[in-house]
Amino acid sequence: GIQVEQSPPDLILQEGANSTLRCNFSDSVNNLQWFHQNPWGQLINLFYIPSGTKQNGRLSATTVATERYSLLYISSSQTTDSGVYFCAVVSGNTPLVFGKGTRLSVIA
Amino acid sequence: EPEVTQTPSHQVTQMGQEVILRCVPISNHLYFYWYRQILGQKVEFLVSFYNNEISEKSEIFDDQFSVERPDGSNFTLKIRSTKLEDSAMYFCASSVQGVETQYFGPGTRLLVL
């Protein structure tokens, strides 16, 4: 099945810093989603982005489907951005396959 | 904005007991899913449901598990005889179409003692 790899596994940032999270996948996809898992365990939808670029406030994402990767950008990070960021993909008729996530800690 | 809801938020049960986890998907969605996340690990697919039947299931979804849509709004996951290793966060999700955005509920944290 499709493999999803996320990097880095852990990231510590000073408040106000910018960061880039990466998601590589091993096959063509027809769905790619980025999620933020907050400290209470909830999975918050950030982006549905099988290709192209989207922006939502301080967050933006780019998926280059032909090169099989997606990037999530966080600008001017805040402590509330802390948590785990997951990339998940659908390839063909598969269900959502999640990566292992990037654990982000933003310190004041 | 419509959202997926799940009840209960937490459940503690004894090994061997049956549990039913409940979900109310977004009303115009047609595809429903259950996922689980063991503490500290990634989210794993359990089962998808469309047109009142299971469309796909993973190896995890063995005979101990079942799903049902008992009425027009609820979607349930039943674990017949819980084991210690069933302790996890269980997420319900729904989507309009199979390849479109899946919206996740807040999860039910299940602890089997």
Side-chain angles (χ1 to χ4, degrees), chain B residues 7-21 82-84 86-88 90 108-113:
Chain B
T7 54
S9 58
H10 295 79
Q11 178 142 8
V12 181
T13 190
Q14 295 291 324
M15 192 170 54
Q17 294 297 302
E18 175 184 286
V19 295
I20 298 176
L21 310 183
T82 50
K83 305 172 196 165
L84 296 177
D86 293 328
S87 296
Y90 288 81
T108 293
R109 196 175 294 278
L110 176 66
L111 178 60
V112 182
L113 302 177

Side-chain angles (χ1 to χ4, degrees), chain A residues 56-103:
Chain A
N56 185 3
R58 296 182 296 104
L59 301 182
S60 63
T62 295
T63 298
V64 183
T66 52
E67 296 187 23
R68 298 183 183 170
Y69 72 88
S70 183
L71 302 174
L72 178 69
Y73 305 97
I74 304 173
S75 64
S76 304
S77 58
Q78 300 175 357
T79 54
T80 51
D81 294 332
S82 296
V84 183
Y85 289 81
F86 288 104
C87 167
V89 303
V90 171
S91 180
N93 290 322
T94 66
L96 264 180
V97 175
F98 282 73
K100 291 184 177 180
T102 292
R103 183 174 298 277

Side-chain angles (χ1 to χ4, degrees), chain A:
Chain A
I2 191 167
Q3 304 298 311
V4 180
E5 293 185 5
Q6 293 187 242
S7 59
D10 296 280
L11 186 58
I12 300 174
L13 294 178
Q14 201 74 37
E15 199 170 26
N18 303 327
S19 63
T20 301
L21 281 55
R22 188 177 180 102
C23 172
N24 291 334
F25 41 93
S26 60
D27 205 344
S28 60
V29 299
N30 40 22
N31 175 5
L32 188 147
Q33 294 183 236
W34 282 98
F35 296 90
H36 174 216
Q37 187 165 41
N38 63 24
W40 295 271
Q42 295 176 323
L43 283 170
I44 310 299
N45 261 314
L46 297 177
F47 295 102
Y48 168 81
I49 186 165
S51 64
T53 297
K54 290 186 178 179
Q55 178 150 10
N56 185 3
R58 296 182 296 104
L59 301 182
S60 63
T62 295
T63 298
V64 183
T66 52
E67 296 187 23
R68 298 183 183 170
Y69 72 88
S70 183
L71 302 174
L72 178 69
Y73 305 97
I74 304 173
S75 64
S76 304
S77 58
Q78 300 175 357
T79 54
T80 51
D81 294 332
S82 296
V84 183
Y85 289 81
F86 288 104
C87 167
V89 303
V90 171
S91 180
N93 290 322
T94 66
L96 264 180
V97 175
F98 282 73
K100 291 184 177 180
T102 292
R103 183 174 298 277
L104 175 65
S105 300
V106 181
I107 53 178

